[in-house]
Amino acid sequence: MSVGVIVGIQWGDEGKGKVVDYLTQNAQYVVRFQGGNNAGHTVVVDGKKFALRLIPSGILRENVCCLLASSVVVNPWAFLSEIADIEKTGIEIKPNRLKLAPEVQLILPYHQAIDEARENQRGAKKIGTTRKGIGPAYEDSVGRHGIRVCDLFDQAKLRALVERNIKHAKEYCSKVLETNFDINAQEQIEQLLQIAQKLRPFVCDVSRELTAAIAAKKTIVFEGAQGTLLDVAHGTYPFVTSSHTIAPEACVSAGIGTKSIDYVLGISKAYCTRVGGGPFPTEEMGKTGDQIRTTGNEFGTVTGRPRRCGWIDLPLLRRAIRLNGVDSILLTKLDVLTGIDILKVATHYEYQGRTMVEPDWDTDLEKVQVVYEEFLGWKEDISKATSLFDLPVNAQTYLQKIEQYMGCSLSGFSIGPERSQTIVYSNHVREIFGLTK
Ligand code: GDP
Ligand code: IMO
Ligand code: MG
């Protein structure tokens, strides 16, 4: 079968988890390749809601093996408690169902303390991070003093690293961030040595496992976290996360070479949301924004924060399609637009006297004038649609125009949070993921 990457092409929360769950009905592997428990992927199966953070959404499919590849950052306590929470629902998680790359960097309590203190110090200029310690953990990784899963199994090395990092973190916090935290290095080491025993059975050479799986023609789905516009290099910097969220990172993180990817599926909402600070050209501050937030239940899975809501932004989507090499797009949450009289689609920007179909590197997204095309909405309930042709004509037109203006084909859409409320009508995509339902 094939290797597909599912990637968010907005600012996250596009419904990646739900789509991954749907696409893995006959898959063998689901791989998270970046980010950590800043992600919140909600999947609803037969009315039962699962909020996944670190564990790939494939865990809900019995025959799927879930992998965390090297560029993921793992808070070991969060990892173990998420396993325990999932097991409470009756799903058994044995090490043959969940594997962890030894190169994975750990998020430790001092990373969280720094994230928190920095955000507090930034005040009104804060990034609006999830305060899970994501940024500081990636900083330690590229700074070459991070603590990896494999370091847990070398006591002397672990001791030296923990002592060094806690000392540095304390100094940095007190001198620069003007705050103190109370973490004892010796206690931390003892806790980590205990955790090491619990993590050991999950450790696996992800690169080798996947290389063998690819050779055996298994179906492998990479589950992106966050979204393209939050990519640390290509996103709306500095209002981004600290990892590469775009599709090529799947290869880097998993160690599988760049030719292994057969398909990149981009996920976008039928509108747009963002949590935290940063530019959002199509943001709707008024009643319509509130309506989308309420109907779409746009409140963060991880932090509970209300998500900022607005219209679909084609200039930014065109950029995201290029950055990821997106083959087709699945549009989620179309049902949320039901009942809105006039729908708006941002087709291009006016900026400094120029018309732009995509922002340039020096375009200030806070200052662009957004040009919209308006479409008539629909009032019919679309949540039970099973094909494109079940949709009211206005909804069909809305999808067709987005597809045409975006310059990338739509392969499906979704009309509710349930597993069954996803429609993939592209035969090519159905074949790639081996879909039978
Ligand atoms: P992710 O981070 O990309 O996996 O997305 P989230 O799970 O954070 O946010 C998507 C939210 O929308 C979740 O609560 C999903 O259950 C829900 N959802 C996904 N697809 C649809 C859809 O088509 N319609 C509606 N109404 N809700 C959806
Ligand atoms: P999923 O996978 C939406 C945002 C935060 C903040 C910025 C940096 O559910 O789509 P971080 O804690 O990563 O340093 O925060 O990134 N952010 C997300 N927004 N969905 C996510 O994940 C996000 N993960 C991080 O709100 O603006
Ligand atoms: Mg989410």
Side-chain angles (χ1 to χ4, degrees):
M1 299 265 207
S2 311
V3 183
V5 183
I6 312 302
V7 70
I9 54 175
Q10 296 172 310
W11 281 289
D13 301 327
E14 297 91 347
K16 300 173 292 292
K18 179 202 146 124
V19 175
V20 167
D21 170 68
Y22 179 75
L23 294 175
T24 46
Q25 40 186 270
N26 295 309
Q28 283 80 45
Y29 286 93
V30 177
V31 190
R32 271 283 304 270
F33 59 93
Q34 42 71 229
N37 59 333
N38 49 348
H41 295 183
T42 311
V43 182
V44 183
V45 186
D46 298 333
K48 218 163 150 189
K49 190 164 157 181
F50 299 85
L52 300 156
R53 292 176 176 184
L54 263 171
I55 312 288
S57 302
I59 205 72
L60 307 180
R61 301 272 189 189
E62 248 177 35
N63 299 321
V64 169
C65 174
C66 293
L67 305 181
L68 299 185
S70 69
S71 308
V72 176
V73 282
V74 168
N75 173 326
W77 292 275
F79 177 73
L80 293 170
S81 85
E82 190 171 333
I83 293 176
D85 285 348
I86 296 172
E87 288 201 311
K88 275 188 214 138
T89 70
I91 296 170
E92 206 184 0
I93 305 186
K94 290 224 174 97
N96 67 336
R97 292 231 35 223
L98 180 63
K99 302 182 186 191
L100 186 63
E103 303 86 4
V104 157
Q105 295 272 344
L106 298 179
I107 302 180
L108 296 177
Y110 53 86
H111 294 125
Q112 264 174 284
I114 292 172
D115 198 358
E116 183 90 33
R118 259 198 209 140
E119 282 288 271
N120 290 339
Q121 198 184 52
R122 283 185 187 119
K125 290 193 177 132
K126 67 176 190 272
I127 289 169
T129 73
T130 57
R131 303 189 179 212
K132 300 287 179 194
I134 304 293
Y138 278 113
E139 283 170 37
D140 277 3
S141 167
V142 293
R144 294 162 294 185
H145 48 253
I147 303 177
R148 300 165 302 166
V149 166
C150 56
D151 298 324
L152 290 171
F153 312 119
D154 180 337
Q155 255 201 57
K157 191 173 180 184
L158 180 68
R159 275 185 197 284
L161 278 171
V162 172
E163 279 167 6
R164 182 237 173 248
N165 287 357
I166 289 187
K167 180 166 173 284
H168 276 247
K170 280 188 170 164
E171 278 175 21
Y172 173 63
C173 273
S174 70
K175 289 193 184 141
V176 180
L177 302 176
E178 295 165 332
T179 182
N180 292 301
F181 63 83
D182 184 25
I183 298 169
N184 178 290
Q186 292 318 311
E187 281 172 20
Q188 189 83 105
I189 292 163
E190 293 315 314
Q191 285 179 18
L192 286 172
L193 289 172
Q194 284 178 20
I195 284 227
Q197 300 318 311
K198 294 185 181 155
L199 293 192
R200 178 96 225 192
F202 296 102
V203 179
C204 152
D205 185 328
V206 165
S207 170
R208 283 194 181 162
E209 175 104 13
L210 283 178
T211 303
I214 292 166
K217 304 254 179 276
K218 305 280 188 204
T219 296
I220 299 161
V221 177
F222 282 91
E223 176 174 2
Q226 290 78 59
T228 302
L229 305 174
L230 289 171
D231 183 278
V232 66
H234 300 282
T236 46
Y237 193 88
F239 297 97
V240 294
T241 189
S242 296
S243 67
H244 290 292
T245 58
I246 57 177
E249 181 64 16
C251 300
V252 176
S253 176
I256 54 166
T258 53
K259 294 191 191 101
S260 317
I261 306 298
D262 297 300
Y263 204 85
V264 178
L265 178 67
I267 313 297
S268 167
K269 284 178 187 169
Y271 49 95
C272 193
T273 63
R274 169 161 213 176
V275 211
F280 184 174
T282 62
E283 185 167 11
E284 262 293 318
M285 308 294 269
K287 256 173 49 192
T288 313
D290 292 343
Q291 183 178 347
I292 294 174
R293 186 175 308 106
T294 310
T295 318
N297 192 22
E298 296 294 356
F299 297 89
T301 323
V302 176
T303 57
R305 290 178 289 178
R307 295 176 183 149
R308 299 156 66 192
C309 297
W311 303 110
I312 197 161
D313 185 330
L314 299 187
L316 287 178
L317 282 184
R318 289 185 192 107
R319 184 174 153 75
I321 291 162
R322 183 164 46 75
L323 292 170
N324 289 288
V326 166
D327 290 300
S328 74
I329 291 171
L330 193 144
L331 215 65
T332 58
K333 306 193 84 162
L334 188 63
D335 55 302
V336 175
L337 298 181
T338 302
I340 300 177
D341 295 331
I342 301 290
L343 302 174
K344 298 208 296 190
V345 171
T347 54
H348 54 283
Y349 301 151
E350 295 290 346
Y351 182 67
Q352 296 182 338
R354 282 181 297 152
T355 297
M356 313 184 80
V357 291
E358 222 198 270
D360 289 333
W361 63 271
D362 57 351
T363 307
D364 183 348
L365 289 177
E366 300 278 12
K367 298 203 173 115
V368 293
Q369 194 190 330
V370 182
V371 182
Y372 293 100
E373 186 163 322
E374 296 189 346
F375 295 90
L376 288 177
W378 59 90
K379 294 210 169 4
E380 299 89 329
D381 175 12
I382 60 168
S383 65
K384 293 182 186 65
T386 55
S387 85
L388 197 54
F389 308 104
D390 286 344
L391 296 177
V393 173
N394 287 354
Q396 289 190 36
T397 307
Y398 185 71
L399 295 185
Q400 278 158 7
K401 287 294 175 185
I402 286 174
E403 184 172 44
Q404 181 189 331
Y405 294 164
M406 207 164 43
C408 181
S409 61
L410 290 180
S411 47
F413 60 94
S414 98
I415 32 116
E418 264 288 343
R419 180 183 270 177
S420 55
Q421 289 173 301
T422 309
I423 289 130
V424 176
Y425 52 76
S426 153
N427 284 336
H428 183 48
V429 173
R430 296 189 68 81
E431 221 170 88
I432 288 276
F433 294 97
L435 301 184
T436 43
K437 280 183 208 143

